[in-house]
Amino acid sequence: MSRRFVASITAAVLGMTMAPAVASASPAQAAAAAPAISWTTCTDNKAHQCATVRVPLDWKRPNGPTTTVAVERRRASLPSKRIGAIFVNPGGPGESATAKAASFATLLGRSVTDRFDIIAVDPRGVGRSNPLVCTTPAGVSLPPTLDPTFPATVGEASRQLKYDNAVRLACKKTGGPLLDHMTTADVARDMDAVRGLIGDPHLTYVGFSYGTVLGQTYAAMFPGRVRAMVLDGVLDAGEWTAGPAARAIPVGGRIHSGEGAWAAVKEAYRQCSKAGKAKCRSAVGGVNEWHTVWQRMINRGPVTMMGRKYQWTDLVTGTLYALYDPSTVPEALDEVHNLYLTVTGKPLPPDAGLAPRRTPPTRPGFGWSAAAAPGDSVPAAKSAVICSDSVNPTDPMATWRAAIGTRSATLGFNSAWTWNTSQCTLWPASGNSAYRGSFKVRPATPILFMNPLYDPATSVTAARIAHANAPGSRLVTGNRIGHLLLNDSACAVKIRTHYLLTKQLPARDVACTDVKSIY
């Protein structure tokens, strides 16, 4: 799996109860009354077809104002053997699905794309769909941010919260009606409407990362319409939306991502020690090198190495971003090793150099956007979705308390993920259209969950919870360090392909062990 492909397909990675049935007209009913989709050749990919579909802004008012969503289709290569369409979502939230349609076709392989159309629907407000636009007032710019890291002190927390408040204010004043209707439930209804328009009686779906929340939501809202559903890199939809700690801990801090990241670090050091010092400089010290650097930074403050200052938040974010792609993990461990030599007073190796400052694997996704200039558009689609979906504290400083309170358990990684959703406190959208459970619904065809054992964004813990809450489902794990299982395990690919073609799940959960070591 090339790094370019991994970067193109992954997303960085974070109440009220509604009945599974839509309150008024269902998406299927609205689609039946709408004209057929008018496809044209996509301007950026002549082999694909593009279209725009108009859907109700508020699905409770099917005859009210509308918004548009963009759709892209790759036709099945063997039309005479076509089974149907596979809807795909790459994650985020805030990531364009149409931009990844070709990557999904490559990932799923010819045996699938020969017999299925690939359908990508940009979520409302995202990509080529009618965009969410939040702008700063003329002459007013956003305050500076800590991008790409997160607060380590109360002063830095205050700085980040000022930025968050400015984003919320911009969206409150300029986001318009769309801001109140960007929940995952809205996206699920839009997707079901497109399903109806293309004539498929049931939905086949493949979703990654946040796309697994969309899948779980669709399956809970429309269980009778699920033909097959593959969810790779699983988030616990229950904690994503609410959960017992929702009023004290922002959504990013309760979805188990921090523990997944720390598990990935420990596995990386295990593989390093097994590979030996000739391949990995940390083989002798192992994970104790991380602990030594961590304790030095926590107890005595930043460390300066080769003219660059590192504090514990830099240690966490730099490693976290590297963990998304297994090919970048050895470089990250080497950087920690050099920090270890520095704090223990030992000389650096002759070839020691500063690694480039790592940034989030995708944008939007993990991390914060750069400050907007006066009157500029503020990237807010990620927050508009996750904050509308979820119940959160109403005190902005709750983010600081939760981040510090959980810091030791995962050596800072849960702190990073907690700050990832700091904008959700006092988010100005109503969230009235959100679906917040129950997710314990058995769809017509049970779900196939897939997850690496060492995923820094979507922990296997969350996958196991989602699996336990989904009657009849199966969980396939792989011994991979990195975000998403993708195609790194031939064992998992075989199961996924067979399920998509036949709807047949394995007889039991499967632990695939064929992923190669990072060394």
Side-chain angles (χ1 to χ4, degrees):
M1 183 68 59
S2 71
R3 290 179 61 183
R4 179 179 297 177
F5 181 74
V6 171
S8 74
I9 204 70
T10 58
V13 38
L14 184 124
M16 297 170 61
T17 301
M18 295 175 61
V22 179
S24 53
S26 72
Q29 291 169 330
I37 297 178
S38 177
W39 298 101
T40 60
T41 300
C42 296
T43 57
D44 57 347
N45 189 333
K46 302 299 184 183
H48 289 200
Q49 296 174 313
C50 287
T52 298
V53 174
R54 190 166 292 278
V55 296
L57 179 66
D58 182 351
W59 276 103
K60 296 178 182 178
R61 300 174 58 204
N63 297 318
T66 62
T67 187
T68 60
V69 294
V71 185
E72 185 166 329
R73 174 171 70 176
R74 179 200 184 276
R75 302 302 298 271
S77 301
L78 299 177
S80 63
K81 296 185 178 181
R82 180 183 180 277
I83 296 173
I86 293 179
F87 285 68
V88 296
N89 183 280
E95 288 291 311
S96 167
T98 61
K100 307 292 175 64
S103 295
F104 266 101
T106 302
L107 177 91
L108 294 174
R110 282 192 60 181
S111 59
V112 173
T113 57
D114 278 350
R115 306 193 66 185
F116 285 93
D117 299 343
I118 303 299
I119 300 282
V121 180
D122 276 348
R124 50 176 59 198
V126 173
R128 298 202 299 260
S129 294
N130 185 40
L132 172 71
V133 179
C134 300
T135 58
T136 59
V140 178
S141 59
L142 289 179
T145 75
L146 298 171
D147 182 35
T149 185
F150 62 96
T153 66
V154 173
E156 290 179 348
S158 177
R159 173 183 164 190
Q160 183 60 48
L161 293 175
K162 287 180 181 178
Y163 173 84
D164 293 340
N165 188 60
V167 171
R168 290 191 293 262
L169 184 61
C171 283
K172 181 178 181 178
K173 289 187 173 182
T174 64
L178 183 59
L179 189 68
D180 281 329
H181 302 284
M182 283 190 62
T183 71
T184 298
D186 291 310
V187 178
R189 293 180 175 101
D190 295 344
M191 187 165 65
D192 193 58
V194 176
R195 175 205 58 78
L197 286 171
I198 66 170
D200 275 13
H202 301 93
L203 182 88
T204 304
Y205 175 80
V206 176
F208 292 159
S209 198
Y210 159 74
T212 69
V213 176
L214 175 56
Q216 291 171 73
T217 302
Y218 184 95
M221 293 174 65
F222 309 110
R225 299 176 191 163
V226 176
R227 178 198 168 272
M229 183 170 286
V230 177
L231 305 182
D232 183 355
V234 184
L235 289 159
D236 173 10
E239 289 287 6
W240 176 276
T241 54
R247 289 302 184 189
I249 300 175
V251 54
R254 59 181 196 252
I255 53 177
H256 309 287
S257 298
E259 64 188 81
W262 178 234
V265 171
K266 291 188 288 185
E267 173 61 13
Y269 277 107
R270 188 195 69 78
Q271 293 186 21
C272 167
S273 297
K274 185 176 180 180
K277 194 167 181 62
K279 293 184 177 180
C280 178
R281 291 172 177 172
S282 297
V284 176
V287 74
N288 288 332
E289 292 189 355
W290 176 283
H291 282 287
T292 298
V293 174
W294 166 262
Q295 289 296 335
R296 164 61 175 77
M297 290 178 170
I298 291 295
N299 295 330
R300 298 173 58 188
V303 173
T304 299
M305 181 178 70
M306 291 184 281
R308 180 187 291 176
K309 186 170 72 172
Y310 293 78
Q311 58 183 2
W312 68 269
T313 53
D314 299 311
L315 175 69
V316 168
T317 52
T319 305
L320 176 59
Y321 302 152
L323 289 168
Y324 270 64
D325 181 349
S327 70
T328 65
V329 175
E331 179 186 65
L333 294 196
D334 284 348
E335 185 173 36
V336 178
H337 177 68
N338 290 338
L339 284 167
Y340 168 77
L341 296 177
T342 300
V343 301
T344 56
K346 298 175 183 177
L348 296 175
D351 61 347
L354 290 174
R357 288 290 196 190
R358 298 184 186 92
T359 56
T362 57
R363 278 187 192 280
F366 189 90
W368 298 278
S369 57
D376 272 2
S377 175
V378 178
K382 181 197 78 170
S383 292
V385 177
I386 190 171
C387 300
S388 297
D389 278 353
S390 56
V391 177
N392 289 280
T394 56
D395 175 9
M397 283 303 291
T399 301
W400 168 255
R401 292 192 294 269
I404 293 301
T406 60
R407 184 177 65 181
S408 298
T410 60
L411 278 72
F413 287 103
N414 205 63
S415 300
W417 281 106
T418 300
W419 275 106
N420 187 39
T421 56
S422 58
Q423 289 176 11
C424 289
T425 56
L426 302 175
W427 185 251
S430 68
N432 288 339
S433 59
Y435 179 85
R436 296 188 177 134
S438 168
F439 295 97
K440 297 181 179 181
V441 179
R442 184 186 180 105
T445 301
I447 299 169
L448 176 62
F449 292 103
M450 307 180 75
N451 217 89
L453 289 175
Y454 313 107
D455 191 313
T458 53
S459 167
V460 71
T461 298
R464 287 168 175 154
I465 293 171
H467 167 42
N469 286 335
S473 65
R474 293 288 182 267
L475 173 61
V476 175
T477 57
N479 58 321
R480 182 179 192 265
I481 297 174
H483 185 36
L484 311 177
L485 199 47
L486 298 170
N487 281 359
D488 276 16
S489 165
C491 158
V493 170
K494 183 178 180 180
I495 295 169
R496 182 187 71 203
T497 301
H498 181 72
Y499 170 72
L500 287 172
L501 292 172
T502 68
K503 304 191 296 182
Q504 294 178 3
L505 288 164
R508 59 188 64 85
D509 295 344
V510 179
C512 294
T513 59
D514 58 343
V515 179
K516 295 180 180 179
S517 170
I518 60 175
Y519 290 97

